[in-house]
C-alpha cells in the first residue's frame, strides 16, 4: 500500500522535553511538509522540504526543527522552546514542490503537553 | 498576504439536499486550489484539485469550480448523504505553500 504514515498517533510531553514526530512516505515523492492544526484555525505550515538534505521554514517554524536525510522520511522535533505545542500535527507530501502538484496527507499525530 | 475564507463555518442539512460550500481568497495569483475532507481526529483526504487554468473539476457527486478573477471557488455536493458529514477545507497554492481556510463543518442527518 502506498501512502504516508505518521507515528505515534497520540503523544504526551512533559514541559521542558523535546519530542520527535515521525513521518514516512513510500510514494517516491520529493517534497514533504509539516503542518500544525489548532481548533477553529486552518492548517499552518511549519517546515517543508523540496529535496533530500534541504528544508525551508514555513510560517510558524519557531520552536521546531526538522531533518531530511532520506527521501522517505521527514521527522519533526518539537523542542522545549515551543511555548504552546499542544496541537494536531499533519505531515504531507507531493511529487515535487510548487505548482500543479497535489499534496497528500498522513493520518496525523495529536500532541498534548501535560 | 493571501487569506482564505470559507462560508458557512457550519452547515446542517437533511439527507438528499444539494449543497454549495464557498471558498474565497484575496490574491488571485494562485497555481491551484484543492478541496479536502477531514473526518474528526483524522488526516486530510484530497477530494479535487483545480489548476489555475481550469474552471472546474468533477468527481462523482462532487463538482468544484474556480473563478480566479473574483477569488472564489465553490464545492457542490449533489444528493448529500450522512456519510458526507465531515469538515471540508479549501486551500490555495501560492508558490510552494498551501494556504488553508478554516473549513466548513457539514452534518447531514437522515
Amino acid at each position: 500500500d502506498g501512502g504516508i504514515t505518521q507515528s505515534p498517533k497520540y503523544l504526551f510531553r512533559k514541559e521542558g522535553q523535546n519530542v520527535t514526530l515521525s513521518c514516512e512516505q513510500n510514494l517516491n515523492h520529493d517534497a514533504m511538509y509539516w503542518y500544525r492544526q489548532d481548533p477553529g484555525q486552518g492548517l499552518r505550515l511549519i517546515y517543508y522540504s523540496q529535496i533530500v538534505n534541504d528544508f525551508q521554514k514555513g510560517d510558524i517554524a519557531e520552536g521546531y526543527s526538522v531533518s531530511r536525510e532520506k527521501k522517505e522520511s521527514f521527522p519533526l522535533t518539537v523542542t522545549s522552546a515551543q511555548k504552546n505545542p499542544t496541537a494536531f500535527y499533519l505531515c504531507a507530501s507531493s511529487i515535487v514542490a510548487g505548482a500543479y502538484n497535489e499534496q497528500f496527507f498522513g493520518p496525523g499525530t495529536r500532541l498534548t503537553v501535560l | 498576504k493571501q487569506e482564505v475564507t470559507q462560508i458557512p463555518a457550519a452547515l446542517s442539512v437533511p439527507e438528499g439536499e444539494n449543497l454549495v460550500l464557498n471558498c474565497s481568497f484575496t490574491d488571485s495569483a494562485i497555481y491551484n486550489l484543492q478541496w479536502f475532507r477531514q473526518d474528526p481526529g483524522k488526516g486530510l483526504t484530497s477530494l479535487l484539485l483545480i489548476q489555475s487554468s481550469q474552471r472546474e473539476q468533477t468527481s462523482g457527486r462532487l463538482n468544484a469550480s474556480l473563478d480566479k478573477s473574483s477569488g472564489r471557488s465553490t464545492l457542490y455536493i449533489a444528493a448529500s448523504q450522512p456519510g458526507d458529514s465531515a469538515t471540508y477545507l479549501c486551500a490555495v497554492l501560492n508558490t510552494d505553500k498551501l494556504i488553508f481556510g478554516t473549513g466548513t463543518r457539514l452534518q447531514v442527518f437522515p
Side-chain angles (χ1 to χ4, degrees), chain B residues 68-88:
Chain B
K68 262 184 54 173
S69 60
S70 67
R72 294 180 184 177
S73 177
T74 59
L75 178 67
Y76 177 82
I77 303 175
S80 60
Q81 303 171 357
D84 295 330
S85 299
T87 296
Y88 291 81

Side-chain angles (χ1 to χ4, degrees), chain A residues 9 33 35 37 40-43 45 48 50 59 88 90 98-103 105-107, chain B residues 31-32 34 36 38 41-44 46 49 51-52 89 93 95-102:
Chain A
K9 186 174 181 179
Y33 311 82
Y35 294 89
Q37 186 177 33
Q41 297 192 35
L43 278 70
L45 182 65
Y48 64 106
Q50 298 183 13
D59 299 318
F88 191 49
L90 289 158
Y100 313 119
N101 289 294
E102 192 172 2
Q103 288 191 20
F105 282 75
Chain B
Y31 288 119
N32 64 43
Q34 272 187 266
F36 295 91
Q38 185 176 32
K42 305 291 185 184
L44 276 63
S46 181
L49 180 146
Q51 302 293 358
S52 61
L89 297 162
L93 185 65
T95 60
D96 293 337
K97 301 179 184 179
L98 269 181
I99 310 297
F100 282 84
T102 53

Side-chain angles (χ1 to χ4, degrees), chain A residues 67-105:
Chain A
S67 63
R68 186 85 188 277
E69 298 177 359
K70 298 187 299 182
K71 187 175 185 177
E72 303 79 23
S73 178
F74 191 39
L76 173 74
T77 297
V78 184
T79 74
S80 57
Q82 170 49 238
K83 298 306 179 188
N84 186 22
T86 294
F88 191 49
Y89 290 86
L90 289 158
C91 177
S93 70
S94 62
I95 295 175
V96 294
Y100 313 119
N101 289 294
E102 192 172 2
Q103 288 191 20
F104 297 91
F105 282 75

Side-chain angles (χ1 to χ4, degrees), chain B:
Chain B
K1 178 185 174 184
Q2 179 74 271
E3 293 183 1
V4 180
T5 304
Q6 291 187 247
I7 294 174
L11 187 60
S12 183
V13 299
E15 181 176 8
E17 282 204 3
N18 299 324
L19 308 172
V20 176
L21 307 183
N22 296 294
C23 173
S24 61
F25 47 95
T26 54
D27 182 354
S28 63
I30 64 170
Y31 288 119
N32 64 43
L33 183 145
Q34 272 187 266
W35 281 95
F36 295 91
R37 168 186 173 136
Q38 185 176 32
D39 293 289
K42 305 291 185 184
L44 276 63
T45 300
S46 181
L47 298 173
L48 290 163
L49 180 146
I50 310 176
Q51 302 293 358
S52 61
S53 58
Q54 296 175 321
R55 297 283 296 189
E56 65 178 327
Q57 281 286 339
T58 298
S59 176
R61 296 183 293 110
L62 305 179
N63 175 275
S65 66
L66 174 63
D67 184 343
K68 262 184 54 173
S69 60
S70 67
R72 294 180 184 177
S73 177
T74 59
L75 178 67
Y76 177 82
I77 303 175
S80 60
Q81 303 171 357
D84 295 330
S85 299
T87 296
Y88 291 81
L89 297 162
C90 73
V92 297
L93 185 65
N94 278 136
T95 60
D96 293 337
K97 301 179 184 179
L98 269 181
I99 310 297
F100 282 84
T102 53
T104 293
R105 190 171 65 253
L106 173 65
Q107 182 182 12
V108 181
F109 54 89

Side-chain angles (χ1 to χ4, degrees), chain A residues 3-11 20-26 32-37 43 46 72-76 87-93 104-111, chain B residues 38 41-44:
Chain A
I4 303 173
T5 57
Q6 291 186 242
S7 61
K9 186 174 181 179
Y10 300 98
L11 186 57
T20 298
L21 284 60
S22 170
C23 178
E24 304 275 334
Q25 54 96 2
N26 61 5
M32 298 185 74
Y33 311 82
W34 274 105
Y35 294 89
R36 169 181 172 142
Q37 186 177 33
L43 278 70
I46 304 172
E72 303 79 23
S73 178
F74 191 39
L76 173 74
F88 191 49
Y89 290 86
L90 289 158
C91 177
S93 70
F104 297 91
F105 282 75
T109 292
R110 185 166 299 281
L111 173 63
Chain B
Q38 185 176 32
K42 305 291 185 184
L44 276 63

